[in-house]
Amino acid sequence: MRKEAEKDVILHVEGISKHFGGLQIIKHVSLTVKKGERIGIIGPNGAGKTTFFNLLTGDLLPTGGKIYYKGKEITRMPNFRRAQAGIVRTFQKNNLLNELTVLDNLLLVLQRKRGMANIWFKPRNARRWLALFEEAEHLLQTWGLADIANERVKTLSYGEQRQVEILLGIAMEPDVLLLDEPTAGMSQAETNYIAELLRQLPKDITMMVIEHDLDVVFGLAERMIVLYNGSIFIDGAPEEVRSDERVNEIYIGKEKAAGASYL
Amino acid sequence: NSAIQSTTKKVEKAPKEGGVIKIGVLLPLSGVYASLGKNLQMGMELYFEGIGWKVAGRDIQLIVEDSEADPQVGLRKARKLIDQDQVDLLTGTVSTAVAYAIRDEVDKKKIPFLVSHAGGNDLTRSKRSDYIWRSSFSSWQIGYSLGQWAYDHVGKTVYIAAADYAFGREVSAAFKEAYTAAGGKVVGEVYPPLGNNDYSSYLTTIKNAKADAVYAFFAGSDAVKFVQQYEQFGLKKEKKLIGSGWLVSEDVRKQQGNAGVGTIASIFWDYHLDTKENKAFIEAFAKKYNARPTIEAMEGYDAARIIAEALEAVGGDASDPDKVVKAISNVQFVSPRGPIQFDKETHHIIQNMYIIETEEVNGQAENKVIEVIEKVKDPGQ
Amino acid sequence: MLHIYNLNAFYGDSHILHNVSLTVERGKVTVLLGRNGMGKTTTIHSIMGMVPARTGKIVLEQIEIQDKASFQVSRLGVALVPQGRRVFPNLTVRENLMTTYRPVEGGWTLENIYAMFPRLKERESSMGGDLSGGEQQMLSIGRALLTNPKVLLLDEPSEGLSPLMVREVAEIIRQLKQQGLTIFLVEQNLAMALELADFVYILSKGSVVFGGAPDELDAHVKNKYLLLSS
Amino acid sequence: MDVIAAQLVNGVSYGMLLFVITCGLSLVFGILGVLNLAHGSLYMIGAYVAYTMTSQWFENFWLALIVAPLVVAVLSLAIELILLRPTYHLGHLSQVLLTFGLAYVIHDVTSMIWGSDVLSIPLPPPLSETLHLWNQDFPAYRLFVVAAGVVLAFCLWFVQEKTRWGAIIRAGLSDKEMINALGVNIKLVFTAVFLAGGYLAGVGGVIASPILGLYPSMEFQTLILALVVLVVGGLGSIAGTFVASLVVGIVETFGRFLVPELSLFLVFGLMVVILICKPDGLLGKQVVRH
Amino acid sequence: MNKRMFISAAAILLLAAAPFLFSLFYLNLLAEILILAIFALSLNVLVGYTGLVSLGHAAFFGIGAYASALLSKEWSPQFLVTMLASLLIAAIAAAIIGLFCVRVNGFYFLMLTLAFSQMIYSFVHQSTTLTGGSNGLSGLPSPVFGTLDLSHPVFLYYVILLVFIVMYIVLSLMVKSPFGHVLIGIRENEMRMKAIGYNTTLYKYAAFIIAGAIGGVSGALYSTFNGFVSPNDVYWTMSGSVLIMVLIGGAGTMIGPVLGAAFIVVLETIVSSYTTMWTLIIGGVFILFVVFIPQGIVGFGRALTKPSANRLSFSRKAKALVKKEANQ
Ligand SMILES: Nc1ncnc2c1ncn2[C@@H]1O[C@H](COP(=O)(O)OP(=O)(O)OP(=O)(O)O)[C@@H](O)[C@H]1O
Ligand SMILES: Nc1ncnc2c1ncn2[C@@H]1O[C@H](COP(=O)(O)OP(=O)(O)OP(=O)(O)O)[C@@H](O)[C@H]1O
Ligand SMILES: [Mg+2]
Ligand SMILES: [Mg+2]
């Protein structure tokens, strides 16, 4: 990598692999992500997309290869530290604090972001707290979740929980945001709404989105990666990927069911 | 009486003419030591029933509290007996830990306390109190009494195996003291945990050691398991088993089958003690409860008698604790266990110790007294 | 085949379903649409006996099932592909499939399922919890089919599947219908749902607000109840 | 050398004794997910019932070995139906409290019925012999215990790994609602498993009591020991329990032999070491939560 | 809020007036309840808030008790000195044990804590010269504060009450602080808390040390109060009964463990005076609790007053409070 290019590289992955027992799920994947890039990741089920995210966030440790973030190696850094450093994910499978309310979930994020998590006694400074609540309320408003702010997460419908999942990621104010099928399980109306909001996120947030909803992912991404069998199959512009015959074959499968219009 | 009142004003205990004398009895009635506690209580009740629950014209009332053999609970209950029930006298405790735990409370509040079982040496040594007297035994008496005899009659080398708790340690130390003083040699010692379930490992070790005999201190279920496994692992035919009387006492011997036969032990009473006082006691006990008394029942019976005689001596006026303890110190009589009296120096009982041997009688294991060591006194330090 | 009459369902004190009535016809694909949180899953769970019906009736082939336990409903021939997949994480793929297998002559077999989802065969001895999202979805569908049901309840079966697999699943549903299976489908993928549907219901805030053939579902209805402006 | 061999036999036989005691708990907790603190109590009831049978009704130990566990099983059935079934949804902590309360109740009920004296069951006649191995005496009954342990282990392993039952139970453990929706009456299955656990506890009580005896509070001692073996082996695996029983048995036996001063520390020390090295026990599977 | 303040003030007043109202025996019982309540509160930090169920908490109680006993015997009977030293020693012990324990989860955590406490028990039980072995240490010097002799039961009661109030306030501030919220988050979903960027292991470790330290304080109070200490203080039954206090009272609430401690002590003392079958009755009560009042005493109270009260939701309350304060 050349020096001047390095400056706007935020994430650099160098030949990482992941084995589970005898299975090699990620095979020598290398990738360079520039600051502010929006990358769509697609690929057949079981291609290794989620696993790849897990490696980036530290939820799994790679069996080989290296990961650099903002120029520093983070290959073995624990997951919470990466989250603190700005690599934030959402989960494919809802993974929330189910007994607490949506607002509570959000406040736990915000209190850490605002450096208030290590207050061991009740805060004196009400103003600071109020600011936190206001921030939370603002976020809930923006993302259309204000009505359910005081519902406990476990009483929400599946799709509503998906939205909370994304909101927590956003509230983390990430530098790199890894979204794992953000709109899966959401109704079309919500999907459109959320996709639009994601599109409008500040440009300096680097975003990687795994998504099987092609409208969403093509609407969002300016660079597409197709993962296949644990390797990068294609890495290119959206149009390029869309028209690629091989992608059609392994992933979209147009010709197989020609008449289908719903994709 | 609020706490403030009772701790600031000295409430004088008036000699209640004709009122009841309250005796607080602190015994484990649940848990591992429950059966010991119950036997002690039965013994006491047997005696008091014999004198019609009356001493010097006053009624006697026993207030029994369950100490659970737990010092905390014991202290809590002792406080209840003292502060709430206002007992005149306290007796009991099977567990030495409980006796130690309530020692200060009793001492501070001047409540005469007749220890009817707990054998920890220190109770009549470093923790001696004007108000604490012991009618049962001390660990030292149990262990020491067999030392010389074992050297003379059993062998010149022994292996010691004792349950790993203060009592087991004290008894075996006393035995060792006497045995080595006599010229014997202790070739090894092992202390399995209290409530150990499998002795095979220890027994294999002991079996392969060169010793003429094994001195063991175990009681209750440990005694049953140890004695049985001692036989099963083939030690009985090689090494004589000797120990404290609890190894083959009334409450475990039947459960051991014939495994205990041949065991030599030292103790301060046995069912087969051939005296008229003992015969009378056993008969009375059998009549009331339709069972054989255990050694604890005898302890309870004696404690009750000591209390009764002391109260008799003060004319039923228990209001002055100093007079009561003085009266206790003067009590002496021939008990089922033989003649007893108190050592005024140590507050500990002076009694005979017996060497017993377990033998088979009509297919049952029974004990036989083979030697009497008279008037054993605790050295008091 | 399956009728719901005036169903009211609650979670604790909150009233979720309000007088829901609908009919799932034998051998047809009936689709239930609705935005997030409108009560689709609750409806399915009520049928399955997982959420009690406070009032109302659910009738399956003349048998009232609203008070039956879920295993009884299942044994009457109803199978569920639940939302969120709910595969058994501590069972292998094969065990997931075979534990509740009910063999039927000419019915689904393990081989059929593996032929349909070759991916599952490759992962046969992996733990259910280790599978990828899409693989779990396949497993969940396979598991339901292997109980060889008469009625299949599908709660967003396309979620997490690649476009190719969505097509595959749509194809399967079509085949199942041809085999005479009765299908009740909850789906967010509108295009797919409408293509498969013989009859469509829309649920809004726990009430049925639309019921009709797919072609009756015009822009106005879509706009009003699904918030879709086309 | 002889001593080592003899101690090894001691260790194995003690280990199998532990397995016989623990397998019921392993089944109920490792597989059903119910931390049954009344396990020791069920074990104790098995022992006491066997005692009454052998000492008062008929002299036959083997008959007692068949009948007494059935009595315990019936009791477990009642416990499951009346107490556990309505409270499964409350979660582990409630079960801890519930079964602990039950242990307390059983404690007093047994002492009411059988008193608080020490009791014992004599070794059954053909096995009361002493064998001579490696120059050491060895009670034949212990070899029977080893055999019983191995047979039990094999049966349990077979049911768990090789039949659909095992899979159904594991599925029910992770998602009860779902396995129900797939047509399995999971309540019934749980009842059956608890019943089987109770039966095994009873078997353990009968087999162990000629060695361990019967005495007040034996159930808590047994319970703690069984819990230790269970975690050392890892939850959810009969094979783990089996291995752990052997490991604990042998380590304890040799520990007592080599460093008897540390007897008290051995079991727990071993557990600490194993859990520090392997946080899920020797053969424990990481239970996936969802 | 005012109602709450009022209730607290009334409770404190009542406790302060206790020596004038109750007889010595009940006063001592009350003191014991307060001590065990501190112990239960400390365990509740782990069980109720962090979701770590420990069956070895008596380790710290015992360490505190023995530390204070030995210090007062060998070094100085100064109450403050022994108390602080015991706190420190218990905290250090918790720091060492916690290092291993917070790495495992669920039942393994329960058993690992049990194992450590049982090893400490074994040590205490065996080292006769230092700890008095199974007989424990008795005849401890009575505590003094400066030159003031605290051996008087009423004085001692007030000291205990004071420590209790301080501990209660400290802990309730803590669990309602952001730090406490993190603990609750860990209880609910540790993986998510990590994804949010919390070093959950560290928080659990901190909770473990705090719980251990305060457990040590209660143990030190106990040995000071009793004038002796015995291995029972470290035994697993002690860990078991404090766990039951927390569960019966209501885990994850502040007042619950206190009520639980009171309930258990009173029940045990009273019932066992009337019958030797007290375990039967207490066991029966546990069962009834689970079947009929699974939320514990606190949950029962809540159910009576406002039937649909949600479980703890920290933000709503905090928000109302903050708004109010900001308005002033
Ligand atoms: N812990 C694990 N142990 C074993 N295999 C695993 C594990 N995690 C993932 N796998 C396997 O790795 C493969 C890739 O999984 P991954 O979740 O990354 O897929 P994905 O690309 O996200 O698929 P989907 O689109 O279906 O979510 C799958 O076949 C899965 O079975
Ligand atoms: N366990 C629960 N307790 C209380 N309320 C619940 C519970 N589950 C769901 N709800 C509520 O019931 C309503 C309907 O939920 P349901 O899951 O049926 O919606 P859905 O239509 O399936 O939505 P989605 O498309 O998001 O899956 C929602 O408002 C939700 O908040
Ligand atoms: Mg994925
Ligand atoms: Mg749904």
Side-chain angles (χ1 to χ4, degrees), chain A residues 98-155:
Chain A
N98 289 322
E99 292 289 337
L100 303 184
T101 63
V102 174
L103 183 59
D104 291 339
N105 272 267
L106 192 54
L107 283 172
L108 277 170
V109 176
L110 293 177
Q111 74 172 24
R112 192 190 66 71
K113 279 311 287 182
R114 300 291 164 253
M116 290 165 70
N118 286 323
I119 298 174
W120 287 37
F121 296 101
K122 217 158 144 186
R124 282 261 185 67
N125 191 342
R127 226 167 270 281
R128 255 177 105 190
W129 267 98
L130 203 58
L132 209 65
F133 279 108
E134 270 158 11
E135 192 177 350
E137 256 160 22
H138 179 71
L139 269 168
L140 287 164
Q141 288 288 349
T142 317
W143 291 79
L145 296 175
D147 319 342
I148 56 167
N150 286 315
E151 299 291 326
R152 283 197 286 172
V153 167
K154 76 164 189 196
T155 69

Side-chain angles (χ1 to χ4, degrees), chain B residues 177-377:
Chain B
E177 180 191 336
Y179 186 68
T180 48
K185 190 161 176 285
V186 174
V187 296
E189 291 169 64
V190 66
Y191 297 91
L194 193 59
N196 187 50
N197 41 29
D198 179 25
Y199 291 93
S200 62
S201 181
Y202 303 113
L203 290 171
T204 304
T205 308
I206 296 172
K207 191 177 164 84
N208 290 287
K210 289 205 178 2
D212 299 330
V214 174
Y215 181 86
F217 177 87
F218 293 99
S221 62
D222 287 358
V224 176
K225 281 180 267 188
F226 184 82
V227 171
Q228 280 183 338
Q229 294 181 14
Y230 193 83
E231 186 192 31
Q232 288 165 11
F233 283 86
L235 276 83
K236 194 169 145 184
K237 48 186 195 273
E238 293 172 7
K239 297 180 170 65
K240 190 92 182 154
L241 181 61
I242 62 176
S244 86
W246 281 284
L247 209 51
V248 286
S249 61
E250 285 305 316
D251 51 350
V252 298
R253 206 168 347 88
K254 180 153 172 275
Q255 303 306 329
Q256 291 163 342
N258 277 339
V261 171
T263 307
I264 305 275
S266 64
I267 194 68
F268 54 93
W269 173 85
D270 189 79
Y271 179 80
H272 292 281
L273 199 59
D274 195 10
T275 64
K276 72 171 193 300
E277 290 82 8
N278 195 34
K279 287 254 159 62
F281 166 63
I282 288 170
E283 207 174 293
F285 192 90
K287 199 165 145 228
K288 182 159 157 62
Y289 300 111
N290 191 24
R292 282 184 174 194
T294 64
I295 195 163
E296 291 78 22
M298 186 281 296
E299 287 172 334
Y301 187 80
D302 273 4
R305 180 162 172 193
I306 292 166
I307 291 172
E309 296 203 352
L311 288 172
E312 199 71 56
V314 292
D317 175 10
S319 59
D320 184 348
D322 295 300
K323 277 196 199 139
V324 174
V325 293
K326 182 133 200 308
I328 289 177
S329 77
N330 288 326
V331 171
Q332 54 176 306
F333 54 84
V334 182
S335 121
R337 63 177 120 166
I340 55 171
Q341 69 187 84
F342 284 100
D343 181 341
K344 292 192 177 156
E345 171 69 24
T346 62
H347 303 185
H348 183 70
I349 196 156
I350 302 172
Q351 60 187 343
N352 292 348
M353 295 297 298
Y354 303 98
I355 309 292
I356 56 172
E357 179 167 16
T358 309
E359 53 180 20
E360 195 178 323
V361 180
N362 304 330
Q364 293 267 46
E366 297 289 357
N367 290 340
K368 182 174 74 176
V369 177
I370 55 176
E371 176 117 11
V372 182
I373 306 168
E374 292 196 340
K375 294 205 170 173
V376 181
K377 237 175 130 167

Side-chain angles (χ1 to χ4, degrees), chain C residues 164-199:
Chain C
L164 187 75
M165 286 316 300
V166 173
R167 239 182 267 276
E168 181 82 38
V169 167
E171 195 49 46
I172 293 163
I173 292 175
R174 213 170 277 129
Q175 274 173 26
L176 289 172
K177 182 175 133 184
Q178 263 155 30
Q179 290 165 11
L181 210 67
T182 307
I183 291 167
F184 188 46
L185 173 67
V186 171
E187 191 44 78
Q188 298 293 9
N189 187 331
L190 202 58
M192 168 185 167
L194 292 181
E195 192 174 292
L196 292 170
D198 294 308
F199 204 83

Side-chain angles (χ1 to χ4, degrees), chain A:
Chain A
M1 232 192 311
R2 277 178 301 144
K3 259 272 157 304
E4 57 270 33
E6 222 166 281
K7 258 194 283 173
D8 46 308
V9 167
I10 189 156
L11 199 61
H12 177 64
V13 177
E14 213 171 85
I16 50 165
S17 312
K18 180 67 190 175
H19 296 257
F20 289 112
L23 289 173
Q24 186 165 10
I25 301 300
I26 298 292
K27 301 167 184 159
H28 268 303
V29 169
S30 297
L31 180 71
T32 304
V33 180
K34 293 211 195 84
K35 190 159 192 264
E37 253 186 323
R38 297 188 167 182
I39 303 179
I41 300 181
I42 56 173
N45 294 122
K49 303 180 293 295
T50 302
T51 307
F52 184 59
F53 269 18
N54 283 334
L55 294 174
L56 295 183
T57 57
D59 289 334
L60 290 175
L61 292 180
T63 35
K66 292 203 164 88
I67 305 170
Y68 298 88
Y69 172 63
K70 295 184 177 168
K72 285 200 207 76
E73 191 186 333
I74 57 162
T75 317
R76 308 247 130 217
M77 188 189 266
N79 53 358
F80 64 89
R81 201 141 287 145
R82 294 189 212 195
Q84 288 167 1
I87 304 181
V88 171
R89 74 173 304 171
T90 67
F91 291 92
Q92 178 171 9
K93 198 165 182 209
N94 295 337
N95 190 1
L96 300 160
L97 304 160
N98 289 322
E99 292 289 337
L100 303 184
T101 63
V102 174
L103 183 59
D104 291 339
N105 272 267
L106 192 54
L107 283 172
L108 277 170
V109 176
L110 293 177
Q111 74 172 24
R112 192 190 66 71
K113 279 311 287 182
R114 300 291 164 253
M116 290 165 70
N118 286 323
I119 298 174
W120 287 37
F121 296 101
K122 217 158 144 186
R124 282 261 185 67
N125 191 342
R127 226 167 270 281
R128 255 177 105 190
W129 267 98
L130 203 58
L132 209 65
F133 279 108
E134 270 158 11
E135 192 177 350
E137 256 160 22
H138 179 71
L139 269 168
L140 287 164
Q141 288 288 349
T142 317
W143 291 79
L145 296 175
D147 319 342
I148 56 167
N150 286 315
E151 299 291 326
R152 283 197 286 172
V153 167
K154 76 164 189 196
T155 69
L156 298 180
S157 81
Y158 187 83
E160 290 164 338
Q161 292 186 10
R162 296 291 309 145
Q163 297 172 39
V164 177
E165 183 74 44
I166 296 172
L167 179 60
L168 291 197
I170 304 292
M172 291 277 289
E173 299 181 336
D175 293 331
V176 175
L177 179 59
L178 308 173
L179 296 162
D180 199 346
E181 302 196 23
T183 66
M186 278 182 213
S187 74
Q188 301 256 298
E190 267 85 10
T191 301
N192 297 344
Y193 183 65
I194 297 286
E196 186 52 36
L197 284 174
L198 288 174
R199 228 185 328 270
Q200 284 170 14
L201 283 180
K203 277 288 167 199
D204 57 347
I205 297 181
T206 311
M207 215 188 290
M208 294 168 87
V209 187
I210 299 176
E211 189 51 80
H212 290 301
D213 186 326
L214 297 183
D215 290 341
V216 172
V217 72
F218 282 108
L220 210 59
E222 49 209 31
R223 174 178 166 193
M224 291 291 292
I225 290 175
V226 183
L227 215 59
Y228 183 57
N229 261 338
S231 308
I232 294 184
F233 190 61
I234 301 178
D235 179 350
E239 314 79 61
E240 203 180 314
V241 169
R242 191 157 224 170
S243 56
D244 193 299
E245 268 314 301
R246 293 167 306 167
V247 175
N248 262 328
E249 197 178 311
I250 59 164
Y251 182 64
I252 304 175
K254 267 207 176 109
E255 58 281 278
K256 250 195 179 171
S261 59
Y262 47 81
L263 293 169

Side-chain angles (χ1 to χ4, degrees), chain D residues 198-230:
Chain D
Y199 180 82
L200 289 174
V203 170
V206 181
I207 291 184
S209 52
I211 297 179
L212 302 184
L214 299 88
Y215 49 94
S217 300
M218 64 192 271
E219 73 266 45
F220 297 111
Q221 220 184 349
T222 309
L223 174 70
I224 294 275
L225 202 59
L227 286 175
V228 170
V229 173
L230 184 68

Side-chain angles (χ1 to χ4, degrees), chain C residues 48-100:
Chain C
M48 214 52 236
M50 293 154 88
V51 171
R54 181 90 42 108
T55 61
K57 270 202 285 192
I58 305 174
V59 181
L60 175 75
E61 291 184 309
Q62 276 88 49
I63 305 172
E64 286 192 16
I65 59 166
Q66 70 272 13
D67 294 325
K68 290 206 185 308
S70 8
F71 74 91
Q72 291 168 316
V73 178
S74 160
R75 286 180 192 174
L76 289 173
V78 185
L80 168 69
V81 176
Q83 186 163 31
R85 313 181 257 271
R86 294 174 80 167
V87 301
F88 301 115
N90 51 349
L91 266 57
T92 62
V93 168
R94 197 193 157 88
E95 283 173 332
N96 261 287
L97 292 169
M98 293 307 285
T99 301
T100 50

